[in-house]
């Protein structure tokens, strides 16, 4: 609807429900929301739930209204709420003495209900703990579409590792497949990105040993750099680190 508003209006379709992305940390929920905005040709406005909740009493509700107004002015816009469980906590779980937090939930519900299809605003929220979110947010018309963003499969490790190594020069026949098999199960995309960083650090350290002046000539990732990093992460997982 953000990309083709006229045909959706002709069909009597509105933007409809927002989207909730849920799953473990480091699986790329924020990156997915940014990609959705890019594909739709919409602007991207990101808000972290804890940042709003840390404000003074009454300021959080005002900040919610301000953000909604800003999103409308940026239309078409994807409004992304990260760590949404801290902002949209279930009101049944909010204890006495935290009435201000309940007020924020009510304010946010009201603002979401007030979004019209003509506003050109799509809400995407992300959470690692879907069960903590107030059920009122999860119904159709609010965050009615729920998409699980899960951990990558083991056979996807190589492609993710290759992506994060980027265009850095590599030795011929660098065996990414063999290296990725040494990595533990249930790694997130962010974890694998960390492996790629360690591989690059190993390559830099080794290169500086042979060229203390740090010239870039001849720098490349060697198989030993990859093997050392993958072995380290594999041992860390075995040790429960």
């Amino acid at each position: 609807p953000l990309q083709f508003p006229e045909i959706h209006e002709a069909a009597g379709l509105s933007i409809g429900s927002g989207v909730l992305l849920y799953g473990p940390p480091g699986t790329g929920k924020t990156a997915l929301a940014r990609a959705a905005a890019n594909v739709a040709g919409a602007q991207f406005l990101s808000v972290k739930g804890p940042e709003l909740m840390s404000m003074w009493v009454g300021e959080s509700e005002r900040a919610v209204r301000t953000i909604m107004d800003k999103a409308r002015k940026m239309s078409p816009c994807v409004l992304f709420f990260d760590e949404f469980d801290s902002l949209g906590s279930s009101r049944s779980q909010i204890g006495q003495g935290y009435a201000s937090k309940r007020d924020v939930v009510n304010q946010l519900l009201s603002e979401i209900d007030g979004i019209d299809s003509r506003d050109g605003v799509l809400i995407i929220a992300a959470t690692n703990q879907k069960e903590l979110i107030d059920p009122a947010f999860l119904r159709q018309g609010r965050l009615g579409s729920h998409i699980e963003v899960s951990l990558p499969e083991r056979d996807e490790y190589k492609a993710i590792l290759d992506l994060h190594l980027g265009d850095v020069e590599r030795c011929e026949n660098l065996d990414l497949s063999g290296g990725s098999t040494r990595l533990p199960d249930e790694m997130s995309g962010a974890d694998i990105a960390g492996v790629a960083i360690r591989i690059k650090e190993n390559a830099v350290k080794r290169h500086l040993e042979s060229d203390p002046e740090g010239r870039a000539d001849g720098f490349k990732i060697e198989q030993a750099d990859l093997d050392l990093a993958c072995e380290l992460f594999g041992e860390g997982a075995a040790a429960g680190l």
Side-chain angles (χ1 to χ4, degrees):
L2 289 180
Q3 192 174 11
F4 304 106
E6 292 183 4
I7 188 64
H8 280 79
E9 184 176 352
L13 294 172
S14 64
I15 286 181
S17 290
V19 179
L20 178 70
L21 304 176
Y22 67 96
T27 51
K29 296 183 287 295
T30 302
L32 185 58
R34 286 185 181 276
N38 185 56
V39 168
Q43 297 197 66
F44 185 77
L45 178 59
S46 179
V47 180
K48 286 187 176 292
E51 292 176 354
L52 291 180
M53 294 309 303
S54 64
M55 296 181 177
W56 297 99
V57 174
E59 286 298 314
S60 296
E61 297 95 299
R62 186 178 297 108
V64 168
R65 293 193 297 270
T66 300
I67 288 166
M68 290 296 187
D69 289 341
K70 184 176 181 180
R72 291 184 179 95
K73 292 176 182 177
M74 293 173 62
S75 171
C77 176
V78 169
L79 176 54
F80 178 66
F81 288 101
D82 199 6
E83 300 179 58
F84 189 73
D85 48 279
S86 66
L87 185 61
S89 304
S90 175
R91 287 167 290 183
S92 64
Q93 302 298 319
I94 298 175
Q96 294 182 353
Y98 294 89
S100 60
K101 192 170 185 179
R102 189 178 291 107
D103 291 340
V104 173
V105 173
N106 291 334
Q107 181 67 44
L108 188 55
L109 286 168
S110 176
E111 292 291 339
I112 292 176
D113 288 341
I115 290 180
D116 188 271
S117 60
R118 290 170 295 182
D119 292 331
V121 177
L122 175 65
I123 293 179
I124 300 180
T127 181
N128 303 330
Q129 303 181 84
K130 180 182 175 184
E131 68 279 1
L132 298 183
I133 296 176
D134 194 299
F137 284 108
L138 304 180
R139 70 165 177 78
Q140 195 67 25
R142 289 171 178 164
L143 299 175
S145 298
H146 306 161
I147 301 174
E148 182 178 8
V149 186
S150 57
L151 295 170
E153 300 291 338
R154 172 164 283 283
D155 59 9
E156 297 171 323
Y157 282 16
K158 176 186 174 183
I160 299 173
L161 188 58
D162 181 46
L163 175 70
H164 286 289
L165 287 177
D167 298 328
V168 179
E169 188 73 23
R170 312 176 192 182
C171 68
E172 293 184 12
N173 303 319
L174 185 68
D175 185 14
L176 291 180
S177 296
S180 61
T181 58
R182 298 189 183 94
L183 297 176
D185 294 330
E186 299 186 350
M187 293 190 79
S188 69
D191 294 332
I192 299 173
V195 176
I197 291 173
R198 182 56 63 90
I199 292 172
K200 295 174 183 178
E201 290 174 343
N202 290 344
V204 168
K205 181 179 180 181
R206 177 185 48 75
H207 184 78
L208 287 175
E209 289 175 352
S210 60
D211 185 356
E213 295 184 8
R215 292 180 293 245
D217 295 342
F219 174 78
K220 65 176 64 175
I221 294 174
E222 301 284 356
Q223 186 66 43
D225 305 322
L226 183 146
D227 291 341
L228 182 61
C230 292
E231 182 180 344
L232 178 65
F233 274 80
E235 291 177 351
L241 300 178

